[in-house]
Amino acid sequence: MSSNLTHFILKLFLVISFFNVCFASRKLTALVQDPQMQLLKYHKGALLSGKISVNLIWYGKFKPSQRAIVSDFINSISSPTPSKTDPSVAQWWKTTEKYYHLANSNNTLSLNLGKQLLIENYSLGKSLTQKQIVQLASKGKRKDAINVVLTASDVAVDGFCVNRCGSHGASKGAVIEGKTYKFTYIWVGNSETLCPGYCAWPFHQPIYGPQTPPLGAPNNDVGVDGMVINLASLLAGTATNPFGNGYYQGEADASLEAASACPGVYAKGAYPGYAGDLLVDKTTGASYNAHGTNGRKYLVPALYDPATSSCSTLV
């Protein structure tokens, strides 16, 4: 194979890698397919239902203002905002309800902010394995819970910035009356120091692909606003494919899910390198597409709408 051809293939692979904003672990080549033409298949597994607490486990140093950005986002999912502040995070989340309808499920899912745990002493060091992520996640509630591990900007995690910005999964939880329950978990890293062009796009100029100018972060924090994007995607994946046998397309361990089926899409008019025609804050110039609690603004990803077989955006 000629060096020119090899170089071209490498560049093409890197561009594809970038637009997979790496949510659950999966093969990068899966994104070569057109997400608009794919239907996420239901594999008959259980979906999350009932009242589920979202517990935040902060590993490393985070400012109180950074923690507030994320906790307000969780509260925004279940706290509808007045119509005058549409579109809202709560409206965005409603797309996940369509998956339950398709599964002929009478169950409903209600997320609420649970407990927050601060681990600021880096008790497991600053380079974590996936096994250690699960270990940290198990410190949260282990029944009816999504335990979210958020790692600080100076913490490396296996695969972080290489092929993922976060992941989600499930692990054995509490044993009650002889029955073992599973709890779901999410990990998201703050990429501000290590790879903002990979995991915090479009708030940072991309490492690869079209070099479009970065957009203003709605909460003035490139790293944490990027974390919210990835957390939103993983929450949608957790709700609709919590145990690896819900809604997904492709191989079970390398699948496309509700948000990852629509990589790089945040508003109408999106194309590779362009997030779409977003709303712009007249005061700060920041870009967003959803309102949240406490006057917050957020950027949330498009979700695959199973009713229309297309990527659905708020704006």
Side-chain angles (χ1 to χ4, degrees), residues 117-315:
L117 174 64
L118 307 184
I119 306 176
E120 297 184 306
N121 62 353
Y122 300 92
S123 57
L124 298 179
K126 292 188 176 182
S127 181
L128 304 179
T129 64
Q130 182 61 31
K131 183 178 179 179
Q132 288 174 314
I133 292 295
V134 177
Q135 180 181 340
L136 289 170
S138 67
K139 294 181 180 295
K141 186 180 175 184
R142 299 176 71 177
K143 182 179 182 294
D144 298 329
I146 302 174
N147 294 335
V148 181
V149 177
L150 303 113
T151 51
S153 59
D154 57 350
V155 176
V157 177
D158 281 355
F160 187 37
C161 296
V162 177
N163 58 14
R164 60 181 185 161
C165 304
S167 61
H168 78 85
S171 184
K172 290 183 179 179
V175 178
I176 301 175
E177 296 182 351
K179 182 178 180 180
T180 300
Y181 292 85
K182 286 185 177 182
F183 71 91
T184 54
Y185 65 86
I186 289 172
W187 157 69
V188 179
N190 186 336
S191 66
E192 184 173 13
T193 300
L194 298 175
C195 59
Y198 188 60
C199 292
W201 184 84
F203 302 133
H204 190 281
Q205 196 158 0
I207 298 176
Y208 310 112
Q211 295 299 297
T212 52
L215 303 179
N219 296 287
N220 199 33
D221 192 310
V222 170
V224 176
D225 276 307
M227 292 180 83
V228 168
I229 292 175
N230 296 323
L231 175 58
S233 303
L234 290 163
L235 280 170
T238 299
T240 57
N241 187 30
F243 307 114
N245 55 4
Y247 284 96
Y248 67 87
Q249 185 259 343
E251 300 174 21
D253 60 347
S255 58
L256 295 180
E257 298 177 330
S260 55
C262 303
V265 179
Y266 298 92
K268 291 178 176 62
Y271 55 83
Y274 180 63
D277 302 328
L278 297 167
L279 302 174
V280 177
D281 188 296
K282 295 180 180 178
T283 302
T284 65
S287 297
Y288 68 100
N289 60 7
H291 292 269
T293 60
N294 294 326
R296 295 280 188 192
K297 295 180 176 68
Y298 294 104
L299 185 65
V300 293
L303 294 181
Y304 186 87
D305 187 334
T308 63
S309 297
S310 65
C311 293
S312 174
T313 60
L314 286 172
V315 296

Side-chain angles (χ1 to χ4, degrees), residues 6-69:
T6 302
H7 183 65
F8 172 77
I9 292 174
L10 177 60
K11 287 181 66 177
L12 178 61
F13 176 79
L14 292 176
V15 169
I16 292 170
S17 299
F18 165 69
F19 289 110
N20 172 19
V21 196
C22 53
F23 304 124
S25 300
R26 60 187 171 275
K27 293 183 179 179
L28 301 177
T29 51
L31 293 176
V32 175
Q33 301 171 9
D34 182 356
Q36 299 285 346
M37 299 301 293
Q38 305 305 315
L39 179 64
L40 301 185
K41 182 181 178 181
Y42 181 41
H43 294 77
K44 307 303 180 182
L47 306 181
L48 289 189
S49 63
K51 293 183 178 180
I52 302 293
S53 62
V54 180
N55 305 297
L56 305 180
I57 300 161
W58 302 91
Y59 187 84
K61 300 292 178 61
F62 287 90
K63 299 175 184 178
S65 59
Q66 293 178 313
R67 297 198 298 269
I69 293 170

